[in-house]
């Protein structure tokens, strides 16, 4: 079946640095990708919807200048956590929809664990 | 108001027995889809089953079945013959709007942690 990859799977960085997370749809084109954040033992919270060739749509309360999203191609979306702080430590998961594959085709990447020291 | 509610934060189930995980949803859309995902400790989201709002039959996928009661706005997941490997977090999710639209997001419930006992 279709696959969504994420890189890196795990990252540790110092406070104040920026971290880029990549999300790729490997065998389908995704005009839209979604970025979720998950805290330990909590549910997935949508951060933003990434749109190919246009600006991302951010959920209420998500700082767009903090979490930069770029969707430069039909198979790649990136999330950059700028000036990361310890409270940004979390599990970030991307998702992409293979519209041609039918209504159930909502695929998730394996996630990226971010730890900010 | 919560769009997706999972009232069971955690539950134990005996191996080989069936377990039902509750999910209720709230939407005013006529067209929507309901999903169940399994999330083991590794964090990956594993698709289990899907039910479209216009589907007349309850969805089934192997040991998973979805008890869809549209009037009650519930979409409970039934796992039959539980296995030790079923121990994980389970999330119910809803996508509102037409299934053909790529931009419709998934909204998740709070999850239910299942622990299968040998």
């Amino acid at each position: 079946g279709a696959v969504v990859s994420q890189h890196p799977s795990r990252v540790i960085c110092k406070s104040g640095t920026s971290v880029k997370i990549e999300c790729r749809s490997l065998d389908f084109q995704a005009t839209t990708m979604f970025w979720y954040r998950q805290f330990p033992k909590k549910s997935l919270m949508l951060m933003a919807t990434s749109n190919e060739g246009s600006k991302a749509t951010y959920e209420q309360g998500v700082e767009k200048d903090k979490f930069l999203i770029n969707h430069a191609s039909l198979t790649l979306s990136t999330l950059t956590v700028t000036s990361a702080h310890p409270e940004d430590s979390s599990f970030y998961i991307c998702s992409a929809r293979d519209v041609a594959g039918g209504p159930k085709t909502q695929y998730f990447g394996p996630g990226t664990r971010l730890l900010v020291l | 108001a919560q769009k997706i509610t999972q009232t069971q934060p955690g539950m134990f189930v005996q191996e080989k027995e069936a377990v039902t995980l509750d999910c209720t949803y709230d939407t005013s859309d006529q067209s929507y889809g309901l999903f169940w995902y399994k999330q083991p400790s590794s964090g990956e989201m594993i698709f289990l089953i899907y039910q479209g709002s216009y589907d007349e039959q309850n969805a089934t996928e192997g040991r998973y079945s979805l008890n869809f009661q549209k009037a009650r706005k519930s979409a409970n997941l039934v796992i039959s013959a539980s296995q030790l490997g079923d121990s994980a977090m389970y999330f119910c999710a809803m996508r509102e709007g037409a299934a053909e639209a790529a931009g419709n997001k998934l909204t998740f419930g709070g999850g239910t942690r299942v622990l299968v006992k040998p």
Side-chain angles (χ1 to χ4, degrees):
Chain A
V3 175
V4 174
S5 70
Q6 264 183 259
H7 178 79
S9 58
R10 188 180 297 266
V11 58
I12 301 173
C13 69
K14 292 183 179 180
S15 186
T17 60
S18 294
V19 175
K20 180 185 283 188
I21 303 170
E22 293 186 348
C23 177
R24 293 182 186 272
S25 57
L26 296 185
D27 54 3
F28 66 96
Q29 294 183 331
T31 56
T32 306
M33 292 185 179
F34 305 90
W35 287 95
Y36 291 85
R37 182 175 183 177
Q38 185 180 29
F39 290 108
K41 302 190 188 305
K42 298 294 184 182
S43 186
L44 280 73
M45 298 299 295
L46 181 68
M47 300 174 65
T49 301
S50 172
N51 304 299
E52 188 268 335
S54 64
K55 291 182 178 180
T57 304
Y58 290 82
E59 295 298 300
Q60 191 172 12
V62 177
E63 300 176 59
K64 58 183 66 177
D65 294 331
K66 173 76 170 174
F67 299 100
L68 299 179
I69 290 173
N70 184 279
H71 194 150
S73 77
L74 288 172
T75 59
L76 173 65
S77 175
T78 60
L79 169 68
T80 301
V81 184
T82 62
S83 186
H85 291 284
E87 58 266 29
D88 298 324
S89 298
S90 190
F91 189 56
Y92 294 87
I93 311 176
C94 71
S95 175
R97 177 85 195 283
D98 180 10
V99 178
K104 65 175 72 173
T105 56
Q106 187 87 36
Y107 302 110
F108 285 82
T112 297
R113 294 193 187 279
L114 170 64
L115 176 61
V116 184
L117 301 177
Chain B
Q2 292 285 338
K3 283 191 175 286
I4 297 284
T5 302
Q6 295 180 251
T7 58
Q8 306 150 308
M11 42 194 318
F12 289 98
V13 59
Q14 199 66 42
E15 189 179 11
K16 300 181 184 178
E17 292 186 350
V19 61
T20 298
L21 306 184
D22 296 340
C23 174
T24 57
Y25 59 92
D26 182 27
T27 181
S28 56
D29 283 2
Q30 295 300 309
S31 180
Y32 54 89
L34 298 158
F35 296 76
W36 277 92
Y37 289 89
K38 172 184 178 181
Q39 187 180 43
S41 57
S42 62
E44 61 181 316
M45 296 293 286
I46 301 170
F47 167 78
L48 297 179
I49 199 165
Y50 168 84
Q51 181 85 40
S53 59
Y54 295 116
D55 295 341
E56 295 184 352
Q57 301 283 340
N58 284 345
T60 60
E61 296 271 358
R63 293 189 298 113
Y64 306 105
S65 60
L66 199 151
N67 184 1
F68 182 44
Q69 299 193 32
K70 196 169 182 177
R72 292 187 178 183
K73 293 188 176 178
S74 75
N76 298 341
L77 176 70
V78 180
I79 306 174
S80 63
S82 296
Q83 302 172 355
L84 296 179
D86 293 336
S87 295
M89 279 291 287
Y90 289 80
F91 290 101
C92 179
M94 176 173 64
R95 182 177 61 219
E96 295 175 280
E100 300 77 21
N104 292 333
K105 60 191 179 185
L106 283 189
T107 303
F108 286 83
T112 296
R113 181 168 297 279
V114 172
L115 184 60
V116 180
K117 299 186 294 183

